[in-house]
Amino acid sequence: MIAYRLLTLEDSSAFCHKVTEALSKGWTLYGSPTYAFDAEKGVMMCAQAVTKEVAGDYDPDKKLGQL
């Protein structure tokens, strides 16, 4: 099964660390990062999709960050 996650956070080094941590745990980048301005918060937001091949079937109760 291929698991999918969309990592999001404000545009900061914390976002880069979040993506780097996912990559270190075997996740693979999927597509390009996306940026959007959150007018309510007044900040730029980042998003990066990642995928990972995992054994077993889909389980909606499983936290994707634990795969």
Side-chain angles (χ1 to χ4, degrees), residues 33-45:
T34 302
Y35 302 94
F37 184 69
D38 183 334
E40 190 172 301
K41 292 182 181 179
V43 298
M44 289 298 291
M45 298 296 294

Side-chain angles (χ1 to χ4, degrees), residues 6-20:
L6 182 64
L7 306 175
T8 61
L9 200 62
E10 292 180 8
D11 185 11
S12 68
S13 63
F15 175 75
C16 295
H17 286 285
K18 187 175 188 177
V19 173
T20 300

Side-chain angles (χ1 to χ4, degrees), residues 1-63:
M1 173 186 91
I2 297 176
Y4 171 91
R5 292 174 65 194
L6 182 64
L7 306 175
T8 61
L9 200 62
E10 292 180 8
D11 185 11
S12 68
S13 63
F15 175 75
C16 295
H17 286 285
K18 187 175 188 177
V19 173
T20 300
E21 179 183 21
L23 295 174
S24 75
K25 293 181 177 181
W27 292 85
T28 302
L29 297 177
Y30 183 83
S32 299
T34 302
Y35 302 94
F37 184 69
D38 183 334
E40 190 172 301
K41 292 182 181 179
V43 298
M44 289 298 291
M45 298 296 294
C46 300
Q48 174 64 59
V50 292
T51 61
K52 183 177 184 180
E53 183 74 35
V54 294
D57 294 325
Y58 173 67
D59 179 357
D61 296 323
K62 184 81 169 181
K63 293 196 180 274

